[in-house]
Amino acid sequence: MLRTTIAGSLPKPSWLAEPEKLWAPWRLEGAELEQAKKDAALVWLKEQEADGIDVVTEGEQFRVHFVHGFLEQVEGIDWQKKTRMGIRNDRYVVEVPTVTGPVRRKAPVHREQAAFLRAHTDHGIKFTLPGPMTICDTIADAHYGRRADMAMAFAELLNEEAKELEAAGVDVVQFDEPAFNVFMDEVRDWGIAALERAIEGLSCTTAVHICYGYGIQANIDWKKTLGSEWRQYEAIFPALNESKIQQVSLECANSKVPLSLLGLLDRKVLLVGAIDVASETVETPEQVAQTLRAALEHVDAARVQPCTNCGMAPLPRHVAEGKLKALGAGARLLRKELGVVE
């Protein structure tokens, strides 16, 4: 009960990429780079184990970006044909690569990385993949014509990948869908259907992460426009609750999401974000426990897993380390209160 995990990403060590920066290029090449990625993954793996994180990740040390790390191995994408596109409903505008033909994986993308992680820990392991809707909101379409059609095409590739991750020993496959709190009608119309296609036939645990984004300035500024209560999830939680996905990860620490909305997900295991990734202040164990207690007013403890709000890739490394320790200690504190035998 109250098994801890994290949303996914962790900071890159300074010898691997520029710290505290999303999209930071690698500082090494070739065989040296591949070894450095493994070294970084091991650093964070052992840090999570030491801090009491029960279901661990490789911290996304093998990829520059949570979406493009997968897309780089997909055919049908022209990386030289840049299209200027608004991301997350025009929250920010960037030049993105363009889908120009049918998409297909060149080869397994993360299978060997998952196998590496499995070989180095006895803990439960989670691997994250970008969700189909978020992929479609991060890359331009000059082939499919409808986002729903492109999402389903990517869902098929993600399903192939997820099955290989499961075969490599992954216990939880999580799909990251920050677009789920932006396009509410589309989530109900085709977003959940694409997500279900991505998990089709899996026996491992499946999860979706739907937070309000990394603690970067564009997201912080956007949240200021959302009012005193963030009720976007109210529009999609009932449909998500009826879906085949097993776990839902969302932010609760320093969040304006009314925790009463958790009651709309009474069929799901909830990964309750008790670590604020938009602040460099390290929580105390008691603060973590208090966030979890507030969630337990709406969800029974058997369905709660203490988690981070989102990925911690942009944070300073020492801050992320402190937050991992706080998460593990806060969960232990609450388990003790509830009389849970560890």
Side-chain angles (χ1 to χ4, degrees), residues 274-308:
I275 293 293
D276 183 2
V277 302
S279 168
E280 293 188 11
T281 300
V282 175
E283 292 81 355
T284 66
E286 173 56 32
Q287 287 172 324
V288 170
Q290 185 54 42
T291 298
L292 298 172
R293 290 188 200 105
L296 291 179
E297 294 180 12
H298 308 281
V299 187
D300 58 276
R303 292 192 296 113
V304 167
Q305 292 190 7
C307 190
T308 56

Side-chain angles (χ1 to χ4, degrees), residues 46-318:
K46 298 310 171 184
E47 180 71 34
Q48 290 171 83
E49 291 179 344
D51 295 337
I53 306 304
D54 299 303
V55 180
V56 299
T57 82
E58 39 70 69
E60 299 180 8
Q61 300 301 297
F62 293 96
R63 43 192 142 159
V64 168
H65 183 263
F66 82 103
V67 176
H68 286 208
F70 178 75
L71 297 182
E72 286 167 356
Q73 300 303 318
V74 173
E75 292 180 346
I77 300 172
D78 188 339
W79 292 84
Q80 303 307 312
K81 183 178 180 179
K82 298 293 186 179
T83 301
R84 189 166 178 80
M85 187 175 104
I87 305 294
R88 310 295 179 264
N89 201 23
D90 297 327
R91 195 182 313 164
Y92 36 93
V93 178
V94 293
E95 300 281 338
V96 300
T98 306
V99 173
T100 56
V103 294
R104 185 179 71 85
R105 291 184 313 154
K106 301 174 185 177
V109 180
H110 298 302
R111 182 181 63 192
E112 296 306 315
Q113 300 159 10
F116 176 81
L117 184 62
R118 178 74 285 164
H120 287 85
T121 185
D122 293 327
H123 281 48
I125 62 174
K126 175 166 73 175
F127 216 93
T128 63
L129 293 172
M133 175 175 275
T134 295
I135 288 177
C136 292
D137 193 45
T138 312
I139 192 167
D141 175 28
H143 174 73
Y144 287 96
R146 293 177 65 244
R147 271 195 174 184
D149 294 338
M150 186 164 76
M152 201 58 71
F154 275 110
E156 292 178 8
L157 305 192
L158 291 165
N159 184 248
E160 295 170 2
E161 183 75 14
K163 287 178 177 176
E164 291 171 350
L165 294 177
E166 178 182 79
V170 168
D171 300 289
V172 182
V173 175
Q174 174 181 294
F175 296 89
D176 294 333
E177 284 285 24
F180 267 33
N181 69 8
V182 181
F183 306 105
M184 302 306 168
D185 291 340
E186 290 88 343
V187 170
R188 294 189 299 264
D189 291 344
W190 54 264
I192 290 175
L195 184 63
E196 290 189 322
R197 175 64 186 92
I199 67 171
E200 190 174 302
L202 293 177
S203 299
C204 65
T205 299
T206 59
V208 61
H209 174 64
I210 57 172
C211 80
Y212 282 71
Y214 280 127
I216 59 176
Q217 196 59 48
N219 290 335
I220 293 171
D221 292 343
W222 171 64
K223 289 185 211 181
K224 292 177 181 177
T225 71
L226 299 179
S228 60
E229 283 194 340
W230 302 344
R231 304 195 70 93
Q232 286 84 353
Y233 293 149
E234 197 167 25
I236 65 169
F237 274 4
L240 194 58
N241 197 43
E242 297 297 321
S243 74
K244 296 176 183 177
I245 203 81
Q246 294 166 295
Q247 299 183 347
V248 179
S249 167
L250 68 161
E251 65 185 80
C252 298
N254 292 337
S255 166
K256 294 181 182 179
V257 176
L259 294 185
S260 59
L261 296 185
L262 301 182
L264 298 175
L265 293 170
D266 58 5
R267 298 184 180 182
K268 306 302 174 187
V269 170
L270 299 183
L271 278 57
V272 173
I275 293 293
D276 183 2
V277 302
S279 168
E280 293 188 11
T281 300
V282 175
E283 292 81 355
T284 66
E286 173 56 32
Q287 287 172 324
V288 170
Q290 185 54 42
T291 298
L292 298 172
R293 290 188 200 105
L296 291 179
E297 294 180 12
H298 308 281
V299 187
D300 58 276
R303 292 192 296 113
V304 167
Q305 292 190 7
C307 190
T308 56
N309 276 0
C310 185
M312 294 195 282
L315 290 174
R317 179 172 168 179
H318 73 278

